[in-house]
Each structure stands twice: as C-alpha cells, then as structure tokens.
Amino acid sequence: MKRRDAIKLFTGTAATALVGRTLAADQNPLLAVAPDPSKLPVPPANQKTVDSTPERLISAEPVVQMSADGKASLTWNTETPTQGATVYIGLPSYENRLSYPIYNLNTTVKEDAPTQNHKATLDIASYVKRFATEYLEAGGVVSYRIEMLDPRKPAVRFIDRSMRVTKSGDTYGVGVNITDGPFVTQTFGAGAVIWWETDVESQGSVKVGSRSFSDNKAAKRHVVPVSGLAQGGSYKYAVTASVGGDSYTTPTYQFLTEPAGDSFSFVFTCDGRTGALGGGETALEGINGASARALSAQMLRHNPHFMFFTGDLISGYTTSEADFRAQMKSWKRLYGPLGRFVPIYTGMGNHESLLDTFSDGTQYDKQGGGAAEVVFASEFENPGNGPDPEAPGLPPYRGAVFSFGYGGSHFVQLNTDYWYSSNPSQVGGNFFGRLLKGQLDWFEQDVKAARAAGAKHVFVFAHEPAFPNGGHTQDSQWGGGTDPDAVLARDRFWQICVDNGVVATFHGHEHNYSRTVIDANTPVHKDGSAVASFNRPVQHVIQGAAGAPFYARDASVPWAANVKSFVRHLWSYSHITVKGDKVRLDTYSYTGDLLDSADLT
C-alpha cells in the first residue's frame, strides 16, 4: 500500500471525542518523548524487498559525443527493452526571461527489435546552418528531447536535456555544460547565494554587476556566496564554467536583494507532481511540465522577492536513489528558469519518498545516507538552521526544515512527513502527516525568538494541512480526527501559531485551493468542539493546485463553515504582498484570472 493510500492512521485507541483533552506535552507520550532510536525500522519477517522505479525508463543520463564535422552521437540505456525513438532538437528561447526550449527538428531512431541500448545520430552542423546560424555561429547550448514508448504501461515518455556545442571555424565539439541552474537563493541582507551544477568537474565563477565571486575549486556543484550588495537592490549576474581552455558564460539574469524596509512580496504553490494527468508534457519524469511552465510564467510577472514550494515536487514513491534524484533534477529543469530570477525555497511532502518496500506492502524511509531527507537536502540549497534529528540515528531535518527572517517578517518551513513508515507499531518509524516533539519544540522556540527580536509577521509552511477540506480529510495532520495523538499534535502545532503571532499557515497535500479562518469559536474536533485557547484568528491556506490530480471539496469537516474560499480544478498559485502592517493575499489561476483576495491582517 502506497503512503498516499494509507489515509486512515491506525491506533490502539478507539475514536473518541476529544473534549477536555489538554495540550500539555507531559500528558501525551508522542509529544513528551522522542522516538526510541533502538526502534529503527526493521524488515518485516519473511518478506522480500520489492523494487519500484515508477518514473524511470531511461536508466542513466544520455552520453553525447561530437565529430569534428558536426555529427552528434547520442547514446542511452533503458530499464526495459524498448524499440525505436524520436529525438527532437531545438534551442532555449532566450528572447523570454523563462528560457524553456522550443524544438523545430526531429530525427527518427529505427530499431529492428526491442533493446536496452539505444543510439541516435544528430546532424548538428546542418541544424546550425538551417535553423540557428545567428545563435550558434560560435557554439552554444542545443536542447534535445528523447521520446520513447514505455512498453510497461504502455505510454509515451520523453526527457528534455541539453548539450553545449563548441565551434571553431568549421570544427565542432562538445564543451562543459550547466545542467542544473544557475539558481539564486538566500537573498538575505546585503548578500545572496548563487549555485549551479555542471556535467563535468569545472571551475566556476559568478559576476554580479562589476564584481566576480568564486568558490575556487574544481567540482560539478558550485555554491558561491555573494556579498557586499545593497539592500533593496536589483542585480544582474552571469555564471561562467570553465574546463581547461573551454569556457561557457550563461546569459545575464537578474534578482532582487532583501528590501531595507518592510515591503516585499512572495509567491506560493505546491503539489506539481504527475499522476493520471494525460501523459506527454504532464508526465515529465514525475513532474507536470505543462503546469510548471504556465505557473512559472504567471508568477514571474509579479516580480516577487522569492517563492515557496511546500512539498510533492515529484511523483516519488521510488526504491531507487537514482530515480529519486532524476525526478528532483527534472523538477529543477522545469522550475529552473524561474529560479534564475526568484529564490525558491522547497519543503518535503509525502511524495518525496525514497523507500524500502516489501512484498507484504510494508514501506519505510531508507536509513542512513540514503534517507529521503538526506537526498532531498543535497539537491537544494535551503538554509541549514533546522532542528537536530528526533533521536540519534534518525534522519536529519536540516535542509528540509528551516527558517529565516526577511523584510521584518519571519518564515518557517516544517516537515510533516518525516521518517515515514507504513506500520510504525510493527517496524518503527513515524506516521504519515505527524509532527513529532523535537520538531514542534524547535518550531516553538524559533518563532518565539523571532517575535522577541521584532518580527512583525510570521508565516509558516508545512505540506500536510492542519484543517483539510477535500481529498485528505481522513488523514493530514489531524489523522482524520479519530486518532487522539494526531489531534493533540495538530492542536499543539496550531497553539504555537496562535501564541506567536502567525499571520497564516500555508499547505498543500490537497490538490485544490482553500482559505479557512480558525479561531476560538471554530469547531476543530470530530465532536464539533472548539478550542478556547485558539483565541486569535489565523488564516489557513491550502494551495496544492500546481498540477497534481484535482480533489473535490468535502464539506463534512467540522470547520466547513469557516472556509472562506474553495477553488477546484484549476492550476493556481498565491501572491502575498507585505506592506508594513498590512498583508494581502491574491490567488490566481495559471491563465492569470483572480480567484480569491483577502487582507490577512
């Protein structure tokens, strides 16, 4: 049973009304005691492991070689024998800020029988003369797409990649290429971080204005802090990658530094994974590519200072680290054109799953260096100030749980799907959607410190909602309302928000948009009771409409009357504007239509 199907959390306690239960941690074992590290997940007895790589057809990155006369040899392998392919060639559309490739030539690969080893020959020299002389006279980046029939489904799958073509006179070659990024992030104070990855080890530098910065090392991954900027500024930058005598400089991009005052904006969306969406561009290695491109274009028009994407970036649920990383890299390719201009902060959802799976259906997160939390953190450059693991030997939080101050406000990203197990009582691990004590303690201390330091507004991001409204009303943070420990954990999370001036919490998990106001009179328990200590209204926003299959509304939840807006069946995002004491939310569709507006303060 996949984690997304395990929607009813089991406990040994029958469903009961929760009236009179307190929020005190010392009255609840879940909240009072960290997980026992001696109960690290153990394989179920007499069960075999099951391999599952649902999004992986091409088993490794394609290899490109170039002859001097401009014939590119493209080779790749597949997980299962396939027969035939089509390879498309095109260019990044540099006239647009979001430089997604546009293809305008194709080559058919004919194969006599199914095979796992594939080869295509691309006539780059002819392509340059006919389609791209202006762009490629001296070489440059060429995009390509491999399209194949996956006989296991059956379904057409394709991947988008690029090669960097070098050209000296009439002689062609292949040069160093930037495969991930460049990305701008952590634009705090008078600085920023620029990072990127190349296909081979390279030297790298970034030029911001008239100044150059480098990490002074040969590596595939480069993370370069940029300092000495002015707050409230707009800066142009370009990245250079070099190997020996070969050097490549990207086009010029631009980013905003943190404002000196308290006026800025950010955008938010999540749940952009694939799944029963129509194939093709909606199924690009675990990502809905069609929605990603459409939403990115709309979000960039606001010129926001940053973006949050809180989980379910990918389809996930894989037993292969290579498959997991390939899906993450696909997400970065799709949102990368936006990330060159706008810092993107990412959180983990239930689909960021890298699992050990057994023949009886038991699943749990891989352990040690192969844990989903470790791999996820290594694919991004989020702030590293999160809490310690719940106990020695458990996965890290840092890189997926973090906080930062910005423009006089404070932002917190939590992980509601930490250390997952489908059967914690039997094999160890944690429940689906459960915030554990160590993370809750850190969260409380973090927001208290931020408020004491003068943060005017606090915004909190966590994938699974505290108050679901459609599609996940039987699980999420409250465990469907029938698991007392889940409800206590949910209530403690919300009490921390109430007590520490949180303006709004932002969630996904449900593939729709909703905005709910929770206060002391809101029924929040299964029996319809409220919590008197929720004595300050807090906005609860679910924005899980970035491309995953849509869910309808469930109006049977106790807080249904407090739902102020609900939108189904539209890809969408939210734009939040902060101007001093005022915070406003506007939610738009992927075509730019205004769906909801609210003053949050």
Side-chain angles (χ1 to χ4, degrees):
M1 179 171 60
K2 290 186 176 181
R3 177 172 17 180
R4 63 173 175 255
D5 300 323
I7 60 176
K8 292 189 177 181
L9 302 180
F10 67 91
T11 65
T13 307
T16 59
L18 296 174
V19 179
R21 295 201 64 159
T22 78
L23 300 178
D26 60 0
Q27 294 188 357
N28 183 270
L30 169 76
L31 301 180
V33 181
D36 182 356
S38 67
K39 286 200 69 178
L40 293 175
V42 294
N46 302 317
Q47 299 296 320
K48 296 181 179 180
T49 57
V50 176
D51 291 330
S52 174
T53 56
E55 303 301 324
R56 195 162 178 80
L57 176 59
I58 295 181
S59 57
E61 287 301 295
V63 175
V64 178
Q65 294 178 311
M66 185 78 70
S67 65
D69 63 349
K71 300 295 193 301
S73 172
L74 185 65
T75 58
W76 69 95
N77 299 323
T78 50
E79 294 279 347
T80 191
T82 66
Q83 184 173 357
T86 302
V87 180
Y88 301 86
I89 312 172
L91 296 173
S93 51
Y94 290 132
E95 286 91 345
N96 291 324
R97 286 201 292 171
L98 297 179
S99 53
Y100 292 112
I102 294 176
Y103 301 101
N104 56 351
L105 186 69
N106 67 276
T107 297
T108 300
V109 180
K110 296 182 179 180
E111 295 170 332
D112 295 331
T115 179
Q116 290 181 269
N117 305 309
H118 307 272
K119 181 178 180 179
T121 300
L122 310 177
D123 192 342
I124 299 299
S126 294
Y127 180 81
V128 170
K129 291 174 182 177
R130 184 178 178 190
F131 295 104
T133 302
E134 180 183 351
Y135 294 95
L136 298 175
E137 284 178 339
V141 174
V142 173
S143 300
Y144 65 89
R145 167 176 288 180
I146 301 175
E147 182 179 55
M148 308 185 75
L149 176 66
D150 185 345
R152 299 172 301 183
K153 292 203 104 170
V156 173
R157 294 181 184 263
F158 53 82
I159 66 167
D160 289 334
R161 297 294 188 270
S162 66
M163 68 180 85
R164 187 172 146 263
V165 175
T166 63
K167 189 170 182 287
S168 177
D170 292 327
T171 301
Y172 286 83
V174 174
V176 60
N177 189 31
I178 294 178
T179 56
D180 285 359
F183 303 107
V184 58
T185 189
Q186 301 190 39
T187 51
F188 307 143
V193 172
I194 310 293
W195 67 283
W196 65 95
E197 292 188 13
T198 54
D199 55 351
V200 295
E201 286 195 352
S202 64
Q203 296 285 339
S205 64
V206 55
K207 187 174 183 180
V208 180
S210 60
R211 301 174 61 195
S212 291
F213 302 85
S214 175
D215 56 3
N216 296 310
K217 65 178 182 181
K220 288 186 176 181
R221 187 183 185 98
H222 296 270
V223 182
V224 180
V226 174
S227 59
L229 309 179
Q231 287 193 240
S234 178
Y235 287 89
K236 294 182 178 180
Y237 76 98
V239 165
T240 297
S242 302
V243 177
D246 177 40
S247 183
Y248 168 62
T249 299
T250 67
T252 298
Y253 307 113
Q254 196 164 354
F255 66 89
L256 300 173
T257 54
E258 180 181 354
D262 52 8
S263 295
F264 62 94
S265 78
F266 63 95
V267 287
F268 166 66
T269 193
C270 61
D271 290 83
R273 65 173 177 83
T274 189
L277 297 170
E281 295 229 341
T282 68
L284 272 170
E285 297 179 275
I287 324 299
N288 186 335
S291 61
R293 293 186 180 104
L295 291 171
S296 292
Q298 290 294 337
M299 289 188 286
L300 186 59
R301 71 185 178 89
H302 300 287
N303 204 26
H305 288 77
F306 55 88
M307 172 191 177
F308 265 87
F309 200 107
T310 307
D312 282 13
L313 291 72
I314 63 173
S315 184
Y317 290 107
T318 179
T319 59
S320 163
E321 181 177 326
D323 185 32
F324 190 80
R325 288 190 184 275
Q327 292 185 54
M328 291 287 180
K329 291 184 184 298
S330 176
W331 189 91
K332 287 185 284 186
R333 275 187 291 272
L334 286 162
Y335 282 94
L338 176 65
R340 293 166 186 158
F341 298 90
V342 177
I344 302 177
Y345 298 100
T346 52
M348 295 184 73
N350 56 298
H351 275 262
E352 276 67 63
S353 299
L354 181 53
L355 302 164
D356 284 327
T357 301
F358 297 89
S359 51
D360 68 346
T362 299
Q363 295 177 320
Y364 51 69
D365 283 348
K366 289 183 182 292
Q367 301 176 47
E373 293 84 354
V374 174
V375 179
F376 180 89
S378 73
E379 288 291 336
F380 299 96
E381 286 295 331
N382 291 319
N385 63 338
D388 293 330
E390 291 289 329
L394 270 60
Y397 276 119
R398 290 176 185 171
V401 176
F402 53 87
S403 68
F404 60 86
Y406 194 95
S409 294
H410 191 68
F411 295 81
V412 185
Q413 170 67 59
L414 300 175
N415 183 0
T416 54
D417 295 285
Y418 172 80
W419 192 40
Y420 168 73
S421 168
S422 64
N423 194 343
S425 67
Q426 297 297 315
V427 299
N430 184 30
F431 287 102
F432 178 36
R434 189 71 59 87
L435 290 167
L436 295 177
K437 179 181 182 298
Q439 188 176 184
L440 286 168
D441 288 348
W442 174 87
F443 173 46
E444 184 169 28
Q445 294 162 8
D446 180 80
V447 292
K448 280 183 177 179
R451 293 289 285 176
K456 185 173 292 185
H457 308 296
V458 179
F459 304 94
V460 177
F461 301 81
H463 180 70
E464 301 209 20
F467 302 98
N469 289 309
H472 280 289
T473 57
Q474 297 306 306
D475 54 271
S476 300
Q477 285 195 48
W478 86 313
T482 60
D483 178 348
D485 287 341
V487 176
L488 278 171
R490 189 278 309 265
D491 284 0
R492 185 184 175 201
F493 162 72
W494 200 254
Q495 192 68 59
I496 294 170
C497 294
V498 171
D499 292 346
N500 292 281
V502 171
V503 171
T505 66
F506 297 89
H507 310 271
H509 199 43
E510 297 192 311
H511 308 155
N512 45 48
Y513 168 79
S514 67
R515 180 173 56 84
T516 307
V517 179
I518 305 297
D519 60 22
N521 298 313
T522 306
V524 294
H525 292 154
K526 199 77 171 177
D527 64 354
S529 62
V531 176
S533 56
F534 292 175
N535 53 10
R536 185 182 62 79
V538 178
Q539 300 268 354
H540 180 277
V541 177
I542 298 175
Q543 177 52 279
F550 292 109
Y551 298 146
R553 183 177 177 183
D554 181 352
S556 69
V557 291
W559 47 84
N562 288 67
V563 177
K564 305 303 180 184
S565 179
F566 189 98
V567 179
R568 65 183 65 77
H569 225 80
L570 269 177
W571 300 334
S572 63
Y573 67 95
S574 296
H575 179 229
I576 297 89
T577 304
V578 179
K579 293 183 178 179
D581 293 333
K582 301 296 183 182
V583 179
R584 181 175 177 82
L585 175 145
D586 295 295
T587 292
Y588 296 90
S589 76
Y590 70 103
T591 57
D593 294 313
L594 183 63
L595 304 176
D596 182 36
S597 292
D599 291 323
L600 302 186
T601 57

